[in-house]
Amino acid sequence: MTEMGLFEAMYSARSLRRFRPDPVPEALVTRILDAAIRAPSAGNAQNWAFIVVRDPAQRARIGAVYRKGSDIAAAVYAARSRPAHLTEAQWARMLDTGAWLWEHMAEVPVLLVPCLRQRDMPPAEALPREIAARHGEELAYLDRIRGASIYPALQNIILACRAFGLGTVITTNHLRCEAEFNTVLGLPEDVHSFALMPIGYPLDRHGPLSRRPVEEVAHADRWSAPWPGGSG
Ligand SMILES: Cc1cc2nc3c(=O)[nH]c(=O)nc-3n(C[C@H](O)[C@H](O)[C@H](O)COP(=O)(O)O)c2cc1C
C-alpha cells in the first residue's frame, strides 16, 4: 500500500474511466469507505450510506441504466462546444474515455453508490413563530445545501483511490433514469444517490491535473477585484 503526500494525491487524482477487470481487495474498499466517512456533513448528521456493488448481475443492471442515461448525455455533449481552457486533446480524452465507460460500466469490479437519507426540517409547530413563518425558505435552504453533505466524502474517496493506485470518477448520468436506478438498488423513498463511482485498477495513468489558474478564478474581497497572487 502506497503512502503519498496529500498534495501529490490532490494534483494527480485525475478522473479515470477505463479499468482492468481485476478485483479490488475488500480490505481496500473498506479503507476507502473509512476515508469517505471522515468528511464533514451539515450538523454532523452523517446521513450517508454507501452501496458497494460487486455482484455481476447487479452491475449489469446498473450498467444498463448508466448506458440509457448516457444516450441523453451524448446528445447534450454533442451540442456543447469545448471549454476554452481545455485543449483539443484534453476535450477528446474526456469524451473518448467517457464514451468507453458508457459501454463498460458493468465490467468495472466495484461500483460505489454514495447516498444520503433526506434530512427534514423539524415540524413547524416545534419552531419559534418567526422561524415557522419562513418554513418554506428553510426547506429551500436545506435543498440548496443538501449535496454538500455527501460531495466532500466523494473527494475523500477520489483521494483514497489515488493513494491505493486505484482509478475512479464521479459520474451522475444514472440520475437521468433515477427511478429505474433506485428500483435496482431497492433504495427507500427518503434515500437518494448522488453519484455512481466506478472503482478499479486503471488502464490509464494518474495525473497531472490541469485547471484554470488561480488568478483567473480568485477574487479579493469582492467579485472581480483581482487576487494579488502571492504564493506562500
Ligand atoms: C457533478 C459531476 C458529475 C459528473 N458526471 C460525470 C459523468 O456522468 N460521466 C463521466 O464520465 N464523468 C463525469 N464527471 C467527471 C468530470 O468530467 C471530471 O471531473 C472533469 O472532466 C475533470 O476531470 P479531471 O479531474 O480528470 O481533470 C462528473 C463530475 C462531476 C463533479
Side-chain angles (χ1 to χ4, degrees), residues 64-80:
V65 176
Y66 189 71
R67 174 67 264 196
K68 211 192 273 188
S70 298
D71 285 338
I72 303 169
V76 173
Y77 269 89
R80 271 195 207 288

Side-chain angles (χ1 to χ4, degrees), residues 14-82:
R14 71 157 49 134
S15 301
L16 293 169
R17 301 183 177 84
R18 302 188 324 131
F19 301 90
R20 305 206 308 250
D22 314 49
V24 178
E26 194 166 84
L28 280 195
V29 177
T30 307
R31 289 279 311 269
I32 291 165
L33 295 174
D34 204 49
I37 62 172
R38 304 300 130 189
S41 57
N44 206 3
Q46 303 179 38
N47 276 4
W48 43 49
F50 300 88
I51 305 185
V52 182
V53 181
R54 292 180 298 179
D55 172 52
Q58 272 297 67
R59 285 190 284 140
R61 290 183 200 105
I62 290 175
V65 176
Y66 189 71
R67 174 67 264 196
K68 211 192 273 188
S70 298
D71 285 338
I72 303 169
V76 173
Y77 269 89
R80 271 195 207 288
S81 44
R82 170 175 61 88

Side-chain angles (χ1 to χ4, degrees), residues 140-227:
Y141 161 79
L142 273 188
D143 237 28
R144 177 82 171 73
I145 66 164
R146 200 177 305 282
S149 284
I150 189 74
Y151 292 130
L154 269 56
Q155 184 64 22
N156 279 2
I157 291 166
I158 290 171
L159 293 174
C161 284
R162 172 66 193 98
F164 294 139
L166 291 161
T168 191
V169 58
I170 297 174
T171 80
T172 46
N173 284 336
H174 68 290
L175 293 174
R176 294 184 153 108
C177 310
E178 190 172 10
E180 198 179 331
F181 184 81
N182 292 358
T183 303
V184 170
L185 290 184
L187 293 189
E189 282 274 294
D190 60 343
V191 174
H192 303 283
S193 75
F194 282 74
L196 165 61
M197 301 179 79
I199 296 178
Y201 291 99
L203 284 169
D204 304 305
R205 298 241 286 269
H206 284 101
L209 289 177
S210 91
R211 292 291 186 261
R212 293 170 60 203
V214 169
E215 57 271 23
E216 215 177 286
V217 299
H219 308 245
D221 300 321
R222 56 180 52 79
W223 186 259
S224 100
W227 171 248

